[in-house]
Amino acid sequence: MRLSDLPKGAPAVVDRVDDAHAADPIAQRLRDLGFVDGEPVRVVAVGPMGGDPLLVQIGFTRFALRRAEAARISVRTEVAA
């Protein structure tokens, strides 16, 4: 599942960040910000009428991402224990 498709408030874990092309600076920046395998992530808020931006929390930090940026991030949903 893509982070851009994750329902608001649903817990998930980052699986990977996909590069659009070799040496993709946006994908590298997302990794530098902490979007790496195994990190818990959730969508906190969504822009007006389901648009941009998405307010995303990873760890204790929140980021505003465009849907196109969030679509590069693959996540797996967590099953409640």
Side-chain angles (χ1 to χ4, degrees):
M1 170 183 280
R2 297 294 175 175
L3 181 58
S4 58
D5 299 326
L6 188 68
K8 180 179 164 187
V13 175
V14 174
D15 190 29
R16 69 181 182 280
V17 175
D18 295 325
D19 293 278
H21 51 78
D24 183 358
I26 294 173
Q28 184 57 49
R29 181 68 174 149
L30 289 168
R31 287 185 206 98
D32 292 344
L33 290 172
F35 292 90
V36 294
D37 185 29
E39 284 297 315
V41 64
R42 68 184 176 99
V43 175
V44 177
V46 178
M49 298 173 61
D52 284 338
L54 300 177
L55 181 59
V56 177
Q57 182 167 334
I58 187 153
F60 295 105
T61 307
R62 291 182 175 188
F63 298 98
L65 297 179
R66 293 181 185 100
R67 280 196 177 274
E69 295 165 343
R72 296 177 183 219
I73 303 167
S74 292
V75 297
R76 53 188 185 271
T77 56
E78 294 185 322
V79 178

